[in-house]
């Protein structure tokens, strides 16, 4: 006896794998047919978007460090009578702004799912086991 039929995927156990960033596949970390757990690395992508966000975080970090140094200098000068309280207030404001910008830049990377030390690489992970 011969029977005809169709073979298809179980739609309840299939997931679309769509990265949140555009990029070029640099290395496959799982081969077709491999059994993977949820969260397993599938591929490493280079993304200009992630690289730009990483550069933004690096710049924000440098600006925050400089603002901390400027505040320390302004406080020393004011304590020695060579600087004004206005300079200290301005330096504190600049530091607060720099901290806010650094937090924002870190949040951008986090929203992309990239590590805080991003060099443009994004790891595409399996959304489900399979």
């Amino acid at each position: 006896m011969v029977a005809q039929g169709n073979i298809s995927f179980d739609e309840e156990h299939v997931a679309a794998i769509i990265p949140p960033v555009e990029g070029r596949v640099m290395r496959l970390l799982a081969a077709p047919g491999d059994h993977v757990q949820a969260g397993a690395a599938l591929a490493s992508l280079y993304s200009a978007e992630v690289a730009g966000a990483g550069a933004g975080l690096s710049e924000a970090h440098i600006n925050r460090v400089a603002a901390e140094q400027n505040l320390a200098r302004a406080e020393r000068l004011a304590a020695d009578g060579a600087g004004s309280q206005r300079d200290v207030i301005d330096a504190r404001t600049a530091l607060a702004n720099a901290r806010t910008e650094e937090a924002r830049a870190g949040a951008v990377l986090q929203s992309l799912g990239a590590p805080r030390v991003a060099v443009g690489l994004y790891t595409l992970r399996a959304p489900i086991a399979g």
Side-chain angles (χ1 to χ4, degrees):
M1 179 174 193
V2 177
Q4 292 184 347
N6 293 325
I7 297 175
S8 65
F9 295 106
D10 180 352
E11 295 295 326
E12 293 188 21
H13 294 94
V14 175
I17 301 173
I18 303 169
V21 296
E22 291 184 12
R24 181 175 66 242
V25 175
M26 300 302 289
R27 194 172 79 167
L28 290 176
L29 304 171
D34 285 355
H35 187 76
V36 296
Q37 296 300 317
L42 301 176
S44 179
L45 308 174
Y46 174 79
S47 169
E49 186 177 356
V50 172
L57 178 59
S58 293
E59 181 180 350
H61 175 74
I62 290 168
N63 290 340
R64 181 193 44 86
V65 170
E68 288 173 344
Q69 292 169 346
N70 287 339
L71 175 58
R73 185 177 58 250
E75 288 174 337
R76 270 193 319 274
L77 289 173
D80 292 342
S84 70
Q85 280 303 109
R86 181 68 190 166
D87 292 339
V88 173
I89 292 169
D90 289 346
R92 284 185 181 144
T93 301
L95 177 56
N97 290 338
R99 285 179 176 155
T100 300
E101 180 57 25
E102 185 177 24
R104 186 207 59 78
V108 168
L109 277 175
Q110 184 178 3
S111 73
L112 295 174
R116 282 187 66 89
V117 184
V119 291
L121 294 179
Y122 176 83
T123 302
L124 183 61
R125 299 193 177 277
I128 62 172

